[in-house]
């Protein structure tokens, strides 16, 4: 299994540009999520999905859109990039909760710079 | 949301045990205690989790206080590879749905040879 993969690894955008960060997992996990990590900080939840066709907002959703048309893929769209969105973005997935806790698997991250 | 408090940083010598503390005084009865770690330039990785009883796995041990208001992650013999930021996280359950992980700033562990 490749686990959780993210593309691209690095990206530079100009203010106002849009782009999509890709995330895919091959573990048939129902739960997927996107986090951002700013320098010296912990991770903050942007959006999450508990299954195909279902998404919800996390702690910092403004400026980002998500969709979940398949179990495997969970892309994150930046609608109009702003310098405040300069960050490292991590995607994660886990097995669904069936009355027991779960372990999240994280991708390697995408380092985004907005100028 | 339930919050955790951890020291900003700790140091350890290689091959010695490390005890990483975490306070979570507002924990509720169904919140699980998770520990993740993040090596430099990598995504976080799961270390261990528990509810009430102490837990052991191949990576570490988790000691949970009887009142559940604090816990300690124990690395039995620190190696240079264990240098990372360690996050203590409460997994909050909302109405039976999946609980999201709320990350704090974590403890940066340095390991000296």
């Amino acid at each position: 299994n490749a686990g959780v993969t993210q593309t691209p690894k690095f990206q530079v955008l100009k203010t106002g540009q849009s782009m999509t960060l890709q995330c895919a997992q091959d573990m048939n996990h129902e739960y997927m999520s996107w986090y951002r990590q700013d320098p010296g900080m912990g991770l903050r939840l942007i959006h999450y999905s508990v299954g195909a066709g279902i998404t919800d907002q996390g702690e910092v959703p403004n400026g980002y859109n998500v969709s979940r048309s398949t179990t495997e893929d969970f892309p994150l769209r930046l609608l109009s990039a702003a310098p405040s969105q300069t960050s490292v973005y991590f995607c994660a997935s886990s097995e669904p909760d069936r009355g027991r806790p779960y372990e999240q698997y994280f991708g390697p991250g995408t380092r985004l710079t907005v100028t | 949301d339930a919050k955790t408090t951890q020291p900003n940083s700790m140091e350890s010598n290689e091959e010695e045990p490390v005890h990483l503390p975490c306070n979570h005084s507002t924990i509720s009865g169904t919140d699980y205690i998770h520990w993740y770690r993040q090596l430099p330039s990598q995504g976080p990785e799961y270390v261990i989790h528990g509810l009430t009883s102490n837990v052991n796995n191949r990576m570490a041990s988790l000691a949970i206080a009887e009142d559940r208001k604090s816990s300690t992650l124990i690395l039995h013999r620190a190696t240079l590879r264990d240098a990372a930021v360690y996050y203590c996280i409460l997994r909050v359950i909302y109405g039976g749905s999946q609980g999201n992980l709320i990350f704090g700033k974590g403890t940066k562990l340095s390991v000296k040879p």
Side-chain angles (χ1 to χ4, degrees):
Chain A
N1 286 352
V4 180
T5 58
Q6 292 183 238
T7 56
K9 284 188 166 50
F10 302 94
Q11 182 70 48
V12 179
L13 289 178
K14 294 189 188 313
T15 298
Q17 287 184 317
S18 63
M19 80 158 295
T20 299
L21 278 62
Q22 301 292 343
C23 174
Q25 52 92 8
D26 61 359
M27 297 172 282
N28 202 33
H29 288 169
E30 291 187 18
Y31 181 90
M32 296 186 73
S33 55
W34 276 102
Y35 295 85
R36 61 175 287 174
Q37 185 173 34
D38 299 323
M41 304 289 289
L43 281 71
R44 291 185 291 170
L45 183 66
I46 304 171
H47 285 285
Y48 66 97
S49 168
V50 297
I54 306 169
T55 64
D56 206 346
Q57 297 181 350
E59 182 186 357
V60 289
N62 292 340
Y64 308 95
N65 272 0
V66 291
S67 60
R68 185 93 180 272
S69 56
T70 67
T71 300
E72 295 77 19
D73 301 299
F74 190 43
L76 177 73
R77 296 184 189 83
L78 278 71
L79 308 172
S80 177
S84 61
Q85 293 179 304
T86 294
S87 190
V88 181
Y89 291 83
F90 291 101
C91 179
S93 74
S94 71
E95 291 183 344
D97 181 0
R98 299 286 188 244
R100 57 180 175 83
Y102 63 93
E103 171 187 345
Q104 286 213 76
Y105 294 82
F106 284 81
T110 293
R111 187 174 295 274
L112 176 68
T113 301
V114 183
T115 61
Chain B
D1 290 338
K3 288 188 170 25
T4 62
T5 304
Q6 300 177 253
N8 289 335
S9 62
M10 291 184 64
E11 275 191 356
S12 171
N13 293 319
E14 197 176 11
E15 299 192 3
E16 289 186 354
V18 182
H19 290 233
L20 296 162
C22 180
N23 287 323
H24 29 77
S25 57
T26 58
I27 191 171
S28 68
T30 55
D31 294 345
Y32 284 85
I33 302 159
H34 288 245
W35 283 82
Y36 280 73
R37 73 179 185 180
Q38 188 174 21
L39 279 62
S41 300
Q42 295 188 26
E45 65 173 341
Y46 167 85
V47 177
I48 200 166
H49 73 269
L51 183 61
T52 56
S53 305
N54 294 346
V55 184
N56 300 299
N57 67 19
R58 63 175 179 81
M59 289 182 71
S61 296
L62 176 60
I64 302 173
E66 197 168 334
D67 64 5
R68 301 212 325 126
K69 293 185 186 300
S70 65
S71 61
T72 302
L73 179 71
I74 302 165
L75 307 179
H76 296 287
R77 284 180 73 238
T79 68
L80 297 178
R81 274 204 72 250
D82 291 323
V85 178
Y86 287 78
Y87 297 98
C88 169
I89 302 162
L90 298 185
R91 182 175 168 241
V92 182
I93 307 294
Y94 302 109
S97 65
Q98 289 223 16
N100 295 313
L101 299 181
I102 309 298
F103 285 78
K105 292 185 180 180
T107 296
K108 184 173 183 179
L109 175 67
S110 304
V111 180
K112 296 184 289 185

